[in-house]
Amino acid sequence: MGEIEDALTRAAANTATRPIPKNAGAQMRFLLKAEKGSTRALAARLGVTQRTVERYLKGTLRRPRKDLAARLEREVRKDWQPRVQQRAKKHAASRGGIVIETRARFGFTAAPGSTDDGRVRRITQHLPPVYASRLFDAQAAGATEQQLQRIAAEGLQEIYFKDRGRRAADLEVEFTDIDYIELDF
């Protein structure tokens, strides 16, 4: 996964209205339900043996290694409250929009006489629902990181740099070298 896709996933996970299960046994039981009762499928999903999954479910094992604990939490967050996540995405795509906070290199293709050298900027900007919708649709369609980056760049170009068409009409923005990116909706 790329940086923008990871940020979209984290933002969706942050819409949860209840905390995820705390201990490893409860997390395993939740994931087992998501895997329709198949300990073999759950073991493959977590990268452990089927016997290890059974031990956590039985209560014999209680404290997972750090790497397994991180995988468990990541997998639980993926499946936790899917309807709440979908409702938040639908709201962002129709009415709310999405907030993008990033530090990245922005370069420009602009009219002669202006500087087009790329430089690192830190930008926090609310993008309208149309860009949130395009990002969600592209992510659902399996878009590449470059395609998602292009959509985000277009949104920042229109809203932040062109000020909704009030200035810099011929400006084309390049969004590269992402240091970090956070999304919220």
Side-chain angles (χ1 to χ4, degrees), residues 121-143:
R121 294 175 185 243
R122 182 174 179 271
I123 295 176
T124 302
Q125 182 65 48
H126 177 269
L127 299 180
V130 67
Y131 293 105
S133 175
R134 287 180 56 197
L135 280 169
F136 296 143
D137 292 344
Q139 182 188 27

Side-chain angles (χ1 to χ4, degrees), residues 30-93:
F30 172 76
L31 289 174
L32 185 67
K33 192 185 305 182
E35 292 294 334
K36 297 178 177 44
S38 172
T39 55
R40 180 175 291 159
L42 179 55
R45 182 175 177 178
L46 293 174
V48 296
T49 64
Q50 185 175 356
R51 183 70 186 127
T52 302
V53 171
E54 292 167 354
R55 286 179 179 151
Y56 278 105
L57 292 171
K58 194 174 176 181
T60 310
L61 291 177
R62 294 184 181 181
R63 292 194 183 108
R65 300 179 318 270
K66 285 185 181 183
D67 60 328
L68 178 57
R71 282 195 308 262
L72 256 173
E73 184 175 342
R74 185 180 67 240
E75 293 299 321
V76 168
R77 285 193 188 280
K78 274 186 200 175
D79 292 347
W80 189 248
Q81 294 187 319
R83 289 184 294 194
V84 172
Q85 290 182 17
Q86 285 305 108
R87 191 170 42 238
K89 284 182 178 181
K90 184 178 177 185
H91 179 268

Side-chain angles (χ1 to χ4, degrees), residues 102-106 108 117 119-123 160-161:
T102 186
R103 185 170 56 221
R105 181 169 304 281
F106 290 90
F108 309 97
D117 295 335
R119 67 175 190 223
V120 176
R121 294 175 185 243
R122 182 174 179 271
I123 295 176
Y160 182 82
F161 292 102

Side-chain angles (χ1 to χ4, degrees), residues 2 36 48 55 69 72 75 88 92 94 110 142 164-166 170 176 180:
K36 297 178 177 44
V48 296
R55 286 179 179 151
L72 256 173
E75 293 299 321
S94 62
R164 297 182 188 262
R166 289 190 279 257
D170 297 332
T176 58
Y180 79 91

Side-chain angles (χ1 to χ4, degrees), residues 110-115:
S114 65
T115 178

